[in-house]
Amino acid sequence: KEGQLVTILGANGAGKTTTLMSISGLVPPKKGEIHFDGSPIHTLSPDKIVSLGIVQVPEGRRIFSNFTVLENLDMGAYLRKDKPQIRTDLDYIFELFPILKERLNQSGGTLSGGEQQMTVVGRALMTSPKLILLDEPSMGLAPLLIHEIFNIIQQLHKEEGISILLVEQNATLALNVAPHAYVMENGRIVMDDSAERLRENPDIKDFYLGMTDFGGRKSFRDVKHYKRRKRWLT
């Protein structure tokens, strides 16, 4: 729903990134429809979807490595015409990530992993989004930087009212920031609930949070999935 922060949990290959890519218009859905603000968007081109206020922060950052930080941020505002507000938004990003102002003319490819992640989040914000799709924002970052990035994510949700759909392999982290979560397996949602209840769910503890041993416990549906889930953790 509008204004919500929701996470999708699932093992590698479950379909989490494909879901985000389909929403962004980069991967056409095999069936069904995708609606945003009450209108279907699954037939629209990616640029049209961005113009509606949907922006994706891709897995692995995908920065324009030959562009400066400023040029990367400007790319986020490519479809916008409101120049005064663009300047205001740029100043806001520098408030969120002061280090980017210091790196303004530095090539994106020479930034640290954390600085690149800040840049792509800033680039997404420069689109003036209604919905941000975040794909593995913690990947490859040091714990201190992960903490900083996720504090910003919560700030954007609470203070700016931006809707956020988060895909994150660190299930503990995801359930700590998102009030609601969906669990995906083989392209299907097999469970959804509040983060609080999912944290106490024995299957989630077993397979995602690592809080208990397998001990022969059954999986979400039945025991036939047990060996496959065990391979996910090894």
Side-chain angles (χ1 to χ4, degrees), residues 1-7 20 23 35-37 52-57 121 124-125 127-135 152-167 177-180:
K1 296 181 180 180
E2 185 176 0
Q4 278 192 318
L5 168 54
V6 174
T7 187
L20 299 191
I23 296 170
H35 288 248
F36 181 71
D37 273 350
L52 294 175
I54 300 175
V55 64
Q56 184 169 342
V57 177
V121 171
L125 291 174
T127 68
S128 189
K130 295 179 181 177
L131 169 64
I132 296 180
L133 312 174
L134 283 166
D135 196 357
I152 294 297
I153 291 170
Q154 289 181 295
Q155 181 178 339
L156 293 173
H157 170 241
K158 293 177 180 178
E159 297 182 8
E160 302 300 320
I162 298 174
S163 305
I164 298 174
L165 180 57
L166 169 67
V167 164
V177 300
H180 196 93

Side-chain angles (χ1 to χ4, degrees), residues 2-233:
E2 185 176 0
Q4 278 192 318
L5 168 54
V6 174
T7 187
I8 302 176
L9 305 179
N12 289 332
K16 305 184 301 297
T17 293
T18 300
T19 299
L20 299 191
M21 299 284 271
S22 294
I23 296 170
S24 296
L26 298 170
V27 175
K30 291 185 177 180
K31 63 180 180 179
E33 298 182 348
I34 301 171
H35 288 248
F36 181 71
D37 273 350
S39 300
I41 64 169
H42 55 283
T43 60
L44 300 180
S45 61
D47 61 304
K48 294 294 185 183
I49 291 173
V50 171
S51 71
L52 294 175
I54 300 175
V55 64
Q56 184 169 342
V57 177
E59 178 183 0
R61 296 182 275 279
R62 308 285 182 89
I63 197 169
F64 295 104
S65 59
N66 293 327
F67 288 11
T68 65
V69 169
L70 180 59
E71 288 169 336
N72 269 277
L73 295 174
D74 282 343
M75 285 300 293
Y78 183 78
L79 296 177
R80 295 176 60 182
K81 308 296 182 185
D82 51 338
K83 290 187 177 180
Q85 186 60 44
I86 289 173
R87 180 69 247 182
T88 300
D89 291 347
L90 192 60
D91 290 338
Y92 175 64
I93 289 167
F94 294 149
E95 289 179 19
L96 291 176
F97 306 115
I99 190 66
L100 295 186
K101 193 169 186 178
E102 299 177 20
R103 302 281 191 268
L104 205 57
N105 297 311
Q106 186 171 327
S107 172
T110 65
L111 300 174
S112 69
E115 291 164 351
Q116 288 187 359
Q117 189 64 276
M118 293 174 192
T119 301
V120 294
V121 171
R123 185 177 67 194
L125 291 174
M126 288 297 289
T127 68
S128 189
K130 295 179 181 177
L131 169 64
I132 296 180
L133 312 174
L134 283 166
D135 196 357
E136 304 284 5
S138 73
M139 180 180 289
L141 299 185
L144 187 61
L145 288 172
I146 292 173
H147 180 73
E148 183 175 354
I149 290 291
F150 273 79
N151 278 343
I152 294 297
I153 291 170
Q154 289 181 295
Q155 181 178 339
L156 293 173
H157 170 241
K158 293 177 180 178
E159 297 182 8
E160 302 300 320
I162 298 174
S163 305
I164 298 174
L165 180 57
L166 169 67
V167 164
E168 176 55 55
Q169 279 288 88
N170 186 329
T172 301
L173 184 61
L175 292 175
N176 281 340
V177 300
H180 196 93
Y182 292 85
V183 180
M184 179 174 282
E185 180 182 331
N186 295 329
R188 293 186 177 136
I189 301 299
V190 296
M191 187 181 299
D192 80 279
D193 209 333
S194 70
E196 182 179 3
R197 283 193 286 266
L198 286 174
R199 278 195 296 267
E200 297 306 314
N201 182 291
D203 287 319
I204 297 298
K205 287 182 178 182
D206 275 354
F207 303 121
Y208 293 101
L209 305 182
M211 295 173 68
T212 62
D213 296 328
F214 278 96
R217 187 188 299 277
K218 292 182 180 180
S219 65
F220 295 130
R221 295 299 175 87
D222 53 50
V223 74
K224 72 178 182 179
H225 296 297
Y226 170 75
K227 291 183 180 178
R228 178 156 54 85
R229 279 201 173 87
K230 189 170 183 180
R231 286 200 298 273
W232 292 348
L233 298 183

